[in-house]
């Protein structure tokens, strides 16, 4: 079976990158000095991570496009780029990207490339690790409200490479061309508030305007999930799903006072999820699915799985974009001989460099 190639539009770059606007000052100055005093030296810069566990890498395509965007044809002819592919699983101390050529052509982009690889690989790997626990169709990427909105297209692409297929903003799919990718979501608490806390009326209005397909009711507004389900069931039977987003410091009314002293019952707990499923079934809403959200991470998912919670979808945000993969760039060769900071070297045989994908 051939490995699937990711199809994406061209990444967009701020033209000030070429002027060194985003480069660390010392990289700009070093590039000027090399251009003046050492213009004919050929170096190799190596990008790698030192994580203990293998990392699903992302940001290679973007980096290559960046260099193609800002280097002229003459410069591109003088450099060579080798690397892994977006989506490859790479162990620590193994290069993900190698650039050969005169330093002055690419040196000022070192910190920018480090940042691209770190951010994209962190998001990609976080999604990949979570999807070891649940299926892609169970994960809804909801990181839009946890970071700079301008990052949505890049985080979305990285999440896609990590296996995610369902998003909540159009921007998250800007660099993705895949008909299996969807953009959907639930209603916000704001809509319920505008209907004076009447979830049923809010959902009836929503369905009137947008249809019942994929209509998801947010049932924790009054911290009484079970009562909300019963109210909805009296007038609406075709709700696609309910979403439970109870704060971790709150105990749902349906679990009071029996579980008041049980810390594990607070928030979106297994107790609440199972009771919600039981109530849905009793109300004739056997087909209605359950979405959980609110600080979902791998440990919570493991807890839910061990408790055999009837969860259909997980809405996850900040934990998918936590930066936890860091890349280091080092000059390791000069004119094809070792020359590097003590402790650093080319961590691959020069004869095996070509086993990596050649991008230029």
């Amino acid at each position: 079976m051939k490995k699937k190639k990711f199809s994406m539009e061209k990444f967009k770059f701020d033209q000030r990158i070429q002027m060194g606007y985003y480069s660390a000052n010392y990289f700009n100055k070093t590039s000027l000095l090399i251009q003046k005093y050492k213009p004919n030296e050929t170096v190799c810069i190596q990008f790698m991570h030192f994580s203990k566990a293998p990392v699903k890498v992302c940001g290679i395509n973007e980096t290559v496009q960046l260099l193609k965007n800002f280097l002229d044809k003459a410069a591109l002819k003088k450099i060579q780029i080798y690397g892994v592919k977006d989506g490859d699983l790479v162990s620590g101390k193994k290069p993900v990207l190698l650039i050969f050529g005169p330093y002055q052509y690419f040196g000022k982009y070192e910190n920018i490339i480090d940042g691209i690889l770190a951010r994209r690989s962190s998001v990609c790997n976080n999604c990949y690790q979570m999807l070891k626990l649940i299926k892609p169709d169970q994960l809804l990427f909801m990181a839009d409200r946890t970071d700079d909105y301008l990052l949505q297209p890049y985080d979305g692409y990285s999440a896609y490479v990590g296996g995610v297929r369902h998003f909540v903003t159009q921007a998250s799919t800007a660099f993705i061309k895949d008909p299996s990718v969807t953009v959907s979501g639930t209603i916000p608490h704001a809509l319920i508030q505008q209907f004076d806390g009447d979830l049923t009326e809010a959902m009836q209005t929503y369905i009137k305007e947008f249809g019942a397909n994929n209509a998801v009711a947010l049932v924790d507004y009054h911290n009484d999930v079970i009562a909300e389900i019963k109210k909805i069931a009296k007038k609406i039977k075709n709700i696609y799903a309910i979403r439970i987003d109870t704060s971790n410091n709150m105990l749902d009314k349906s679990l009071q006072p029996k579980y008041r002293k049980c810390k594990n019952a607070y928030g979106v707990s297994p107790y609440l999820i199972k009771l919600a499923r039981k109530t849905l079934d009793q109300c004739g809403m056997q087909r209605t699915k359950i979405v959980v959200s609110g600080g979902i991470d791998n440990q919570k998912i493991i807890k839910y799985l061990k408790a055999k919670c009837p969860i259909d979808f997980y809405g996850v945000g900040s934990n998918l974009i936590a930066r936890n993969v860091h890349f280091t760039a080092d000059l390791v060769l000069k004119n094809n001989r070792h020359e590097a900071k003590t402790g650093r070297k080319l961590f691959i045989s020069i004869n095996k460099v070509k086993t990596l994908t050649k991008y230029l």
Side-chain angles (χ1 to χ4, degrees), residues 72-353:
D72 59 29
K73 291 183 179 179
L76 287 172
K77 287 182 179 180
K78 293 184 178 181
I79 70 171
Q80 291 181 307
I81 304 176
Y82 297 90
V84 301
K85 297 178 182 178
D86 280 351
D88 281 353
L89 203 60
V90 182
S91 300
K93 290 191 176 182
K94 288 189 177 180
V96 303
L97 186 69
L98 298 170
I99 306 175
F100 294 82
Y103 179 87
Q104 63 267 24
Y105 293 132
F106 52 79
K108 67 181 179 182
Y109 302 123
E110 178 179 327
N111 66 311
I112 296 172
I113 296 172
D114 270 337
I116 288 173
L117 293 174
R119 174 81 185 202
R120 312 300 179 249
S121 296
S122 290
V123 175
C124 178
N125 196 60
N126 289 338
C127 295
Y128 168 70
Q129 295 299 335
M130 186 167 285
L131 288 173
K132 286 182 176 180
L133 303 174
I134 58 177
K135 298 177 181 178
D137 281 342
Q138 290 182 286
L139 182 57
L140 185 61
F141 190 80
M142 298 177 65
D144 53 294
R145 64 176 61 194
T146 60
D147 214 334
D148 189 333
Y149 70 95
L150 293 174
L151 290 169
Q152 288 184 25
Y154 304 91
D155 287 345
Y157 170 74
S158 303
Y160 176 79
V161 174
V164 174
R165 294 296 179 267
H166 304 297
F167 302 87
V168 297
T169 74
Q170 290 288 345
S172 295
T173 66
F175 300 138
I176 304 169
K177 290 182 178 179
D178 185 338
S180 72
V181 169
T182 66
V183 178
S184 61
T186 67
I187 67 167
H189 291 108
L191 183 63
I192 305 171
Q193 190 264 0
Q194 287 296 293
F195 283 87
D196 299 316
D198 191 328
L199 174 61
T200 301
E201 186 179 358
M203 290 308 302
Q204 286 176 319
T205 305
Y206 180 94
I207 292 172
K208 179 180 178 181
E209 292 294 324
F210 302 110
N213 288 339
N214 297 327
V216 183
L218 190 53
V219 294
D220 61 275
Y221 186 86
H222 296 289
N223 193 38
D224 198 348
V225 168
I226 305 308
E228 292 285 23
I229 292 174
K230 292 178 178 179
K231 287 180 182 178
I232 293 174
K234 291 179 180 179
K235 295 186 177 181
I236 311 173
K237 292 290 186 181
N238 58 344
I239 291 288
Y240 175 72
I242 61 166
R243 174 181 157 207
I244 308 174
D245 190 51
T246 307
S247 299
N248 289 329
N249 63 344
M250 298 189 72
L251 180 65
D252 190 87
K253 290 180 181 179
S254 62
L255 301 178
Q256 302 176 16
K258 183 179 179 180
Y259 294 100
R260 188 174 297 280
K261 294 183 179 181
C262 179
K263 293 183 178 180
N264 293 330
Y266 282 69
V268 187
S269 68
Y271 298 97
L272 184 57
I273 296 166
K274 291 180 178 181
L275 185 56
R277 179 73 268 165
K278 180 180 179 180
T279 305
L280 287 168
D281 293 345
Q282 290 175 341
C283 292
M285 301 171 72
Q286 290 88 352
R287 294 185 179 181
T288 299
K289 301 182 183 300
I290 295 178
V291 184
V292 297
S293 59
I296 304 295
D297 59 15
N298 289 13
Q299 293 306 310
K300 277 193 175 181
I301 292 178
I302 290 172
K303 181 180 72 173
Y304 291 144
L305 293 175
K306 285 183 176 180
K308 297 183 179 180
C309 292
I311 298 171
D312 298 287
F313 307 107
Y314 298 81
V316 189
S318 59
N319 287 302
L320 291 180
I321 60 170
R323 270 83 73 203
N324 46 33
V325 180
H326 304 282
F327 281 82
T328 296
D330 291 293
L331 290 179
V332 292
L333 295 180
K334 180 182 178 185
N335 297 328
N336 290 322
R337 63 178 175 79
H338 172 75
E339 181 60 50
K341 169 186 174 181
T342 300
R344 301 297 165 87
K345 62 179 181 178
L346 181 65
F347 282 89
I348 186 173
S349 168
I350 194 67
N351 295 322
K352 293 183 179 180
V353 166

